[in-house]
Amino acid sequence: MVLKFGLLIGTVIIIALSQKKNWCGDRKLSFVFFTMLTIGFLYGSAYILEIQIPSVANGLTKLIKNIRGIS
């Protein structure tokens, strides 16, 4: 598990450093970039820890089925 986290953190650092010249000057791009990187890191961490995170699509499907009365 420690090895997987090390690889995940290493990958995040390499991606951030390789894209540094692209997001240094643009504030909006920097925000989007780090938001996407953080989401990827959180989902990767959840996968390593084997935490089940329901997807947004499944949640919306259940909501619509409940509204329509479909079981």
Side-chain angles (χ1 to χ4, degrees):
M1 179 164 21
V2 175
L3 177 65
K4 289 180 183 179
F5 268 116
L7 289 172
L8 180 64
I9 291 171
T11 303
V12 168
I13 290 171
I14 288 172
I15 291 171
L17 291 177
S18 70
Q19 297 298 316
K20 184 177 181 180
K21 65 180 178 182
N22 292 335
W23 52 260
C24 256
D26 192 356
R27 198 170 206 195
K28 290 179 185 176
L29 181 62
S30 175
F31 177 75
V32 170
F33 176 74
F34 281 111
T35 301
M36 296 293 288
L37 202 57
T38 302
I39 290 169
F41 177 73
L42 292 175
Y43 270 101
S45 298
Y47 178 76
I48 291 170
L49 295 173
E50 297 178 0
I51 298 172
Q52 298 296 323
I53 298 177
S55 72
V56 174
N58 288 340
L60 291 175
T61 302
K62 286 180 185 178
L63 179 68
I64 296 301
K65 283 184 177 181
N66 285 338
I67 290 172
R68 290 189 174 181
I70 302 170
S71 48

